[in-house]
Amino acid sequence: MTRHDHQTIRAARVYLRVSTEEQDLARQEAIVAGARAAGYYVAAVYREKASGARPDRPELLRMVADLQPGEVVVAEKIDRISRLPLPEAELLVAAIRAKGARLAVPGIVDLSDLVADSAGVARIVLEAVQDMLLRLALQTARDDYETRRERQREGIAIARAAGRYTGRKADIAQHRRIVSLREAGISIARTAELAACSIAQVKRVTALHRAKAGIAPTHPVRPGQD
């Protein structure tokens, strides 16, 4: 393969995330087609239903582990990648960069090519500008998350004061998936991974299901067991 071939073949890994069962990953599927239309070879697509404020998203972690030098991470927006607090978000981006990869996300100004063609003070300035813009985007995504949560809390407080708050609706589809996985003999940890939820939630849903079904609780799980 010639040097020109290495330059023209651009590989991408596409990360698609929604927060709840009510949202649909299909809306983001056009991103895959868009990446191909932009000239990228799509090495893999990672689909996940989980909050962007969670650092333990299985598909996100799998994508980072799969990254190869020179690849790009494609997503609908930066908040699809992260709604984490800034220090944690920067660690995530650092992990992506450590693999020799970079972000290709709408709204993020990518100065990588300019940086590569620069040297000395110009390179330092461009790298600083790139880091500043990315940090700003990550912080904006987190601020938006915090604003949404604050509005939600205010709405709940108002509803409670008016006697109209009935509590958060259970995610029935996810609960059924958790129960099905556990009844199939899947471990707690693996169920949490497959259902894109926490281990604590798997335990809560399982206990609730057993209580409703009149099933006696199992013996407590010992350390190191599922």
Side-chain angles (χ1 to χ4, degrees):
M1 186 177 289
T2 66
R3 182 172 179 271
H4 177 72
D5 291 330
H6 281 294
Q7 290 177 330
T8 55
I9 296 177
R10 301 182 300 166
R13 295 185 184 272
V14 181
Y15 181 71
L16 307 178
R17 180 189 69 77
V18 293
S19 300
T20 67
E21 289 290 341
E22 284 71 30
Q23 293 176 293
D24 192 351
L25 286 167
R27 179 176 59 84
Q28 297 184 41
E29 292 294 335
I31 299 168
V32 179
R36 292 192 175 109
Y40 287 108
Y41 161 70
V42 177
V45 180
Y46 304 81
R47 298 174 176 84
E48 191 146 58
K49 293 190 176 183
S51 169
R54 285 181 49 185
D56 59 341
R57 286 167 274 155
E59 285 301 288
L60 176 68
L61 298 177
R62 186 168 75 88
M63 180 195 70
V64 174
D66 290 346
L67 283 170
Q68 301 297 315
E71 292 183 339
V72 300
V73 174
V74 176
E76 182 185 32
K77 295 184 295 183
I78 191 63
D79 64 13
R80 299 299 91 193
I81 299 291
S82 172
R83 286 186 180 274
L84 294 164
L86 185 58
E88 294 180 44
E90 289 184 312
L91 286 175
L92 172 58
V93 172
I96 291 172
R97 288 177 168 176
K99 300 299 290 283
R102 60 186 178 84
L103 294 171
V105 180
I108 302 296
V109 179
D110 186 7
L111 303 177
S112 301
D113 292 337
L114 289 175
V115 170
D117 293 336
S118 302
V121 175
R123 186 185 185 99
I124 294 173
V125 170
L126 286 171
E127 287 177 340
V129 170
Q130 177 76 90
D131 289 343
M132 179 189 69
L133 293 173
L134 181 55
R135 190 176 298 114
L136 178 62
L138 291 170
Q139 185 60 59
T140 299
R142 179 62 183 187
D143 289 346
D144 179 67
Y145 170 77
E146 294 287 0
T147 298
R148 288 168 182 258
R149 284 180 62 85
E150 181 58 31
R151 288 175 179 169
Q152 185 180 54
R153 284 192 289 267
E154 290 174 353
I156 290 173
I158 293 171
R160 277 179 173 157
R164 292 184 283 104
Y165 183 66
T166 58
R168 184 176 178 180
K169 293 182 179 179
D171 188 337
I172 302 302
Q174 186 180 57
H175 286 197
R176 287 173 179 167
R177 183 162 59 251
I178 290 171
V179 170
S180 295
L181 288 168
R182 292 295 289 140
E183 288 183 342
I186 307 300
S187 71
I188 292 174
R190 182 58 177 160
T191 296
E193 180 180 345
L194 293 172
C197 67
S198 67
I199 287 176
Q201 183 172 2
V202 172
K203 292 179 178 179
R204 284 196 302 271
V205 171
T206 303
L208 179 62
H209 169 71
R210 286 173 174 165
K212 287 182 177 179
I215 302 173
T218 57
H219 294 296
V221 178
R222 296 178 180 177
Q225 296 182 334
D226 279 326

